[in-house]
Amino acid sequence: MVQKAKILLVDDRPENLLALEAILSALDQTLVRASSGEEALKALLTDDFAVILLDVQMPGMDGFETAAHIKRRERTRDIPIIFLTAINHGPHHTFRGYAAGAVDYISKPFDPWVLRAKVSVFVELYMKNCKLREQAALLRLQLDGDGHAGGEHEKESAGLLAELSARLAAVEEQAEALSKQLDDESADAAAVATAAHLERKLTGLRRALDALEPGTGGGVVPAQS
């Protein structure tokens, strides 16, 4: 059974959280509410999330400060953050969002379809990353356990490694196509940040897979999460 991805929704207004849940319910993933920056940070201590939708204007710890805390933590720094804001103070305000670590910055009211499509990209990437990491770990265990068992086990392990490499190559191809599409449509900061985030994820996974190749002599390099 495929485990659902978790999406963290952070907003101090209950009606906004309800609206986000209505928009994203079609993705059939686990939606987690947080009504403040502090509550969001507490949720991030125990759960892994595919993406965070973070309101900028909140009393106490605002979105920028919350994002800064998220990016300082080793466990959470690579989780993509989409900022949501009801106001737009121009390019400087938007740049501050990207500087805080956001992969996208959306002004309210936003198009529900566009928001759902953006979130679905990160959910799909997260699910594929999880699957690849699980397969890499299983393969590493098999290689460690069967390293002395002869040619038949080596042949089977090599086949599994080739299959895993092919699956990763397919994800890399999709990411490259997405990057080209973003470049064609616009060269704004959101496109650049999203492409860079995908590249970091896939580079980490490819590095982990390369470490499984015979003759490398090393363990699995942890993939970025």
Side-chain angles (χ1 to χ4, degrees):
M1 184 177 63
V2 178
Q3 186 176 2
K4 294 182 179 182
K6 292 183 178 180
I7 303 170
L8 183 58
L9 313 176
V10 189
D11 199 304
D12 63 297
R13 299 177 66 89
E15 62 271 24
N16 290 342
L17 290 172
L18 188 63
L20 288 174
E21 288 176 337
I23 292 170
L24 300 176
S25 61
L27 298 180
D28 193 27
Q29 304 300 325
T30 302
L31 306 177
V32 178
R33 284 188 175 201
S35 58
S36 67
E38 292 85 355
E39 191 174 332
L41 294 176
K42 186 178 297 184
L44 288 163
L45 287 174
T46 55
D47 290 325
D48 294 324
F49 291 91
V51 61
I52 302 169
L53 273 63
L54 180 58
D55 184 40
V56 173
Q57 301 297 122
M58 295 187 295
M61 184 185 296
D62 66 11
F64 295 130
E65 188 178 353
T66 303
H69 282 289
I70 293 171
K71 293 303 176 182
R72 279 198 292 266
R73 292 178 178 177
E74 178 74 21
R75 175 188 172 94
T76 60
R77 65 184 181 186
D78 288 324
I79 302 176
I81 298 173
I82 298 177
F83 271 135
L84 305 175
T85 179
I87 58 175
N88 188 352
H89 292 304
H92 177 74
H93 196 257
T94 303
F95 175 78
R96 186 182 175 192
Y98 292 124
V103 297
D104 211 339
Y105 194 100
I106 303 177
S107 297
K108 303 174 186 177
F110 43 76
D111 186 323
W113 187 92
V114 170
L115 179 63
R116 188 161 53 240
K118 288 176 180 289
V119 172
S120 69
V121 170
F122 292 108
V123 168
E124 182 179 2
L125 178 63
Y126 173 83
M127 300 294 281
K128 288 181 177 179
N129 283 344
C130 289
K131 185 65 175 178
L132 287 169
R133 283 198 298 271
E134 289 172 3
Q135 291 174 332
L138 289 173
L139 183 56
R140 180 75 265 172
L141 288 174
Q142 182 170 352
L143 289 171
D144 289 343
D146 298 341
H148 61 282
E152 191 61 34
H153 286 301
E154 291 178 1
K155 185 182 299 184
E156 183 180 352
S157 296
L160 288 172
L161 185 61
E163 181 183 354
L164 185 58
S165 181
R167 292 189 182 189
L168 178 56
V171 179
E172 290 171 331
E173 184 177 348
Q174 291 177 0
E176 183 179 357
L178 176 61
S179 180
K180 289 181 179 179
Q181 182 181 2
L182 289 171
D183 288 341
D184 290 341
E185 293 176 353
S186 75
D188 62 10
V192 174
T194 301
H197 182 82
L198 295 176
E199 184 178 354
R200 288 197 304 273
K201 291 276 191 178
L202 293 175
T203 297
L205 288 170
R206 176 56 68 181
R207 202 162 51 236
L209 186 58
D210 289 343
L212 296 174
E213 292 287 349
T216 57
V220 176
V221 178
Q224 297 180 26
S225 59

